[in-house]
Amino acid sequence: MASPKTVISSLTLLVALIFCFSPIHSSNTIGKGYRLISVEESPDGGFIGYLQVKQKTNIYGSDITTLRLFVKHETDNRLRVHITDAEKQRWEVPYNLLPREQPPTVGKSIGKSRNSPVTVQEISGSELIFSFTKDPFSFAVKRRSNGQTLFNTSSDSFGQMVFKDQYLEISTSLPKDASLYGLGENSQAKGIKLVPNEPYTLYTEDVSAINLNTDLYGSHPVYMDLRNVGGKAYAHAVLLLNSNGMDVFYRGTSLTYKVIGGVLDFYFVAGPSPLDVVDQYTSLIGRPAPMPYWSLGFHQCRWGYHNLSVVEDVVDSYKKAKIPLDVIWNDDDHMDAHKDFTLNNISYPRAKLLKFLDRIHKMGMKYIVINDPGIGVNASYGVYQRAMANDVFIKYEGKPFLAQVWPGPVYFPDFLNPKTVAWWGDEIRRFHELVPVDGLWIDMNEVSNFCSGLCTIPKGKQCPSGEGPGWICCLDCKNITKTRWDDPPYKINATGVTAPVGFKTIATSALHYNGVREYDAHSLYGFSETIATHKGLQSIQGKRPFILSRSTFVGSGRYAAHWTGDNQGTWQSLRVSISTMLNFGIFGVPMVGSDICGFYPQPTEELCNRWIEVGAFYPFSRDHANYYSPRQELYQWDTVAKSARNALGMRYKLLPYLYTLSYEAHMTGAPMARPLFFSFPEYTKCYGLSTQFLLGSSLMISPVLKKGRTQVKALFPPGSWYHMFDMTQAVVTKTGKRVALPAPLNFVNVHLYQNTILPMQQGGLISKEARTTPFSLVITFPMGATEGYATGKLYLDEDELPEMKLGNGQSTYVDFYASVGNGTVKMWSQVKEGKFALSKGWVIEKVSVLGLKGAGPASEIEINGSSISNEAKKIEVSSKEHTYVVELEEEGENKSVMVEVKGLEMMVGKDFNMSWKMGINYAN
């Protein structure tokens, strides 16, 4: 739904950036640093030290006198460095929201520890080494295997560590050639790689994603650092686990955090590969949520489906146009006066809605609706009545904090309160009994407020009036600046204009459960709502929940998918969507996508063509549009419909692969959509590439992202790449190169890398239907190789079970292998728990092997030790010569062929082996 905070003008943004990035105080005047006065080993295997301030200053408040340092190697590849007030407990991300090891309680045995002499110089782990200097205190983290310094807080180019109640500052030096990624959520116009001197502010805001380089809906204070050392790539990540607002200043050779509260709680994960990094990171913050199979299908939504008849027509029109569609969505059009958990019985009469849902559910389609956190203040509204009775709202001076969102005056539930979580779950249950939805879309949860300050409901006038867009504040409000929580001494660059931290959200002096201030917990609101929603859905459905959340925090991916918010129907928004998607894979939120064709204004026909060619390969693929924009469903233009049938047709054939990627994400954190450097970390030319991406390790998407283009210049890392829409076409490069590829309007370039076995099915208009079709395997070898090896995998299960795992009798996992050598092609499988796949009757009907040397046909085909001449059914064998998109780099390279074998009936759930001889002489 549209953001009330509109686009910031270029001039205003420029002024704001000049203000924000022109330091008023140098670090040396803000704080004079600390000295380490003691250190000793703690009973849990870590080390505890105490730091004493060297000289206090009063800039941004007084320094905290004594700090407690806790250092622990939590695993072989993860180091924690935790710094807090030694005397009293400070705010931290709650351990019940984000489960993790707790450091020793502060304030205990301080006297004894302070007298312990500093006898250690470093604290070593298997791969990471923590070292320090005593006076002034600084620390460094090094990699044992190559001696590289990953993080170092000592440098002449920046000041000492500062630790005040509402201002924390710490810096690290960086090598010039380090490539950094992360620190979101923001829209990065210059691509996924962080750019020195761009603003990176982390504070959850309802700011439209069309605003570049400003804090948006989520807060993820983590970055990945990729370095090429002597031709070998090493990646690591640094998380500062802190929910308070912060500015992060990246200057190329240094990075500085300026945080307005909480603690310094650093986690370092060693990698060394990018995939290792996300594995280690998600083992800390929580593995990504298992997704139902249908969620990987195509989704259609719009704010402005005024009645049920319109929704029915959309579903029917997709079917008529033969464009795949799995999920139909409602924005708040189904609600009674925008109120949560209600139904408008005039435009969405329940009896007719239930009949419609019964029809689409039998087809295999799903239905999802929106839900905002603000509960309308209305004495006749049952949800409000039960909420008041359970005392679940955030308070200001003892009363529920009043705000305004779509229903008008609202109160916000406090999801840090266990009573709220129980009440919310009960409301989800009640609504599900009213309307059997298949998932929930939780929006506006940064949290968004159309007003600012302390407000009251005006007397004598209707609020809202019912006219206009509905996001104009109509409450009577006054600013709240009387506390240091509403007006902190250091001003982060909120919304890109150094806005007050309580601007268009909850007043930061408001209180949550147990006296927690909104000032500290603000960026956790969407995360805490997501957890409560997940718990509620799981308890009533007994199925795998599907939740889409706009606001996210560290760990959100454990419960929900994410879309990138209110974008524009512009070419720039299309390009930016790739960078944001790739960042969220690093953040541990792999199920992510942007509004296809743009939320507003209406895109051009050409842009919508190109956008579906990208969006068909987002992990989360949904078309969504604004209330005030003309209709833009994919069938509205004939050319877009053609592009959609082409691109989504390929997606639906790839669903088994995508679902296997989803399983890998759940088990290891591996992003579904990845930057090319994940698979080619030594190939430095792809470090800043944001115009192409991979699905998994080997399927590369190279879309058109500029107006009027009919070709795309794509970067190909070294190796053999085969075009998915015509597998005889190949790009072969020994060192990597850019290649100009034809890209007419209805065509998208998708290439598969060598050494891969890709499982596919035949597609369909609904994933349920596509899932019943026979399988095929695409096997790729290096072009013309006399010897080669390829692997692939496939995960299958009863996809709505709460857990995604083996061992429950309703899942199957298959490893595929293939080799070529001595003139023989072999392929075989190893099946784990094949009973489920056998019960579904899934068969492999076709095998395509690409890159085989020579031009002869296959012969002497054997399946499971038997010649195919003994097979009852006819098997077709064919071969086609590969063509090259560019000239071969070496003359005299032998011709290569693709061999296809059709008519097979190999059971997916049973081990198989298959081989044949190539009809050529392999001797050179």
Side-chain angles (χ1 to χ4, degrees), residues 631-644:
R631 298 280 291 273
Q632 64 181 48
E633 292 84 5
L634 301 179
Y635 54 78
Q636 297 289 345
W637 297 276
D638 289 342
T639 62
V640 176
K642 183 177 179 182
S643 293

Side-chain angles (χ1 to χ4, degrees), residues 786-808:
T786 56
E787 293 186 355
Y789 190 71
T791 60
K793 57 198 75 170
L794 174 65
Y795 176 80
L796 302 159
D797 70 0
E798 196 64 64
D799 71 298
E800 294 196 60
L801 290 173
E803 294 186 83
M804 191 182 212
K805 65 178 184 179
L806 293 172
N808 57 12

Side-chain angles (χ1 to χ4, degrees), residues 778-849:
V778 180
I779 301 171
T780 59
F781 292 117
M783 183 68 78
T786 56
E787 293 186 355
Y789 190 71
T791 60
K793 57 198 75 170
L794 174 65
Y795 176 80
L796 302 159
D797 70 0
E798 196 64 64
D799 71 298
E800 294 196 60
L801 290 173
E803 294 186 83
M804 191 182 212
K805 65 178 184 179
L806 293 172
N808 57 12
Q810 298 188 72
S811 54
T812 295
Y813 187 86
V814 186
D815 281 304
F816 296 110
Y817 304 92
S819 66
V820 60
N822 299 318
T824 300
V825 177
K826 297 179 180 179
M827 61 206 71
W828 64 99
S829 70
Q830 293 180 355
V831 180
K832 296 177 183 176
E833 304 183 26
K835 182 179 177 182
F836 173 72
L838 290 171
S839 73
K840 297 293 184 181
W842 282 314
V843 298
I844 298 169
E845 187 270 339
K846 183 175 75 169
V847 171
S848 304
V849 184

